[in-house]
Structures are given as C-alpha cells and as structure tokens.
Amino acid sequence: MQSGLRSCPHSEALWVEYLRMELTYLNKLSARRAALGEDVGTLVPDLDALPSSFSLRTQFLEILEATDLANSENMQNEILADMKNEFSKEPAYWDWLEKFEAAGVRVHKM
C-alpha cells in the first residue's frame, strides 16, 4: 500500500483503502491492548500526509463512522479541523457540513 501511495500520492481510491486497512489494524490492536489491560488511548494515526482533497476527507469520515474504534472521536475532530482549515472558503464544504450535522453526527466546534 505504501509503495502504491508513493507512486500515486493523489489517488483517492488508494488513500481510502489504506485508511480502511489502518483502521482495521488499529481495531485489532485496540482489542488486544484492552484484553491485556494496556492503555488504548495512544492509537491515533498521523493523517498529515493526506492529499488536499475534500472528497477524500469526507470518505475518511464515513469509514471512521463505520468503524468501532477507540478514540475515533479524536480522529474525527482532527479530520474536521483539517477540513475547516483547508476548505472553509469553499461553499461545498459548508453545504456538506450542514448535511453532516443534520444527519445527527456530533461535531465539536473548533
């Protein structure tokens, strides 16, 4: 996956599948750490290398919502803050945010 992302760093399909794979892995680690009584609060991936793509961020949030992951709220807040910083001047962002909030997803104001 990493080789593919290096070759095609702007491929949204690769990024989406990479995130899905990483979240699945984090879920397994989280379950293992919980079973061993270890701290699960340290399982937050670094999302700084993502291409600047609004649709990619929205897809990541959809995957995150569908994944029962410890600290997913922290990741969601990080993605939402990133989206606000990068896309707040675009009307599509505000339209999407309104629909996102109307769908009942809790958004913590940044």
Side-chain angles (χ1 to χ4, degrees):
M1 273 295 216
Q2 289 179 345
S3 177
L5 287 171
R6 283 188 202 107
S7 298
C8 304
H10 301 290
S11 169
E12 289 189 16
L14 280 176
W15 278 103
V16 167
E17 292 310 315
Y18 178 73
L19 178 67
R20 191 182 320 272
M21 179 187 72
E22 286 292 325
L23 289 178
T24 300
Y25 177 67
L26 287 175
N27 260 342
K28 290 179 182 183
L29 280 180
S30 178
R32 181 172 185 252
R33 287 183 175 190
L36 294 173
E38 296 177 4
D39 181 22
V40 295
T42 59
L43 297 176
V44 179
D46 182 16
L47 301 176
D48 294 338
L50 295 176
S52 180
S53 168
F54 179 73
S55 66
L56 182 59
R57 299 304 198 284
T58 60
Q59 290 178 71
F60 278 6
L61 284 172
E62 289 171 10
I63 293 169
L64 193 55
E65 286 179 49
T67 306
D68 183 27
L69 180 67
N71 292 323
S72 63
E73 188 174 299
N74 292 341
M75 284 189 276
Q76 178 190 42
N77 289 336
E78 184 178 334
I79 294 169
L80 288 168
D82 182 59
M83 289 173 72
K84 184 176 182 180
N85 287 336
E86 286 195 47
F87 308 112
S88 64
K89 294 182 181 178
E90 297 179 24
Y93 165 75
W94 295 104
D95 290 341
W96 172 85
L97 185 61
E98 183 64 32
K99 291 175 186 170
F100 187 72
E101 290 175 337
V105 179
R106 290 188 325 163
V107 177
H108 299 282
K109 301 295 181 192
M110 310 292 154

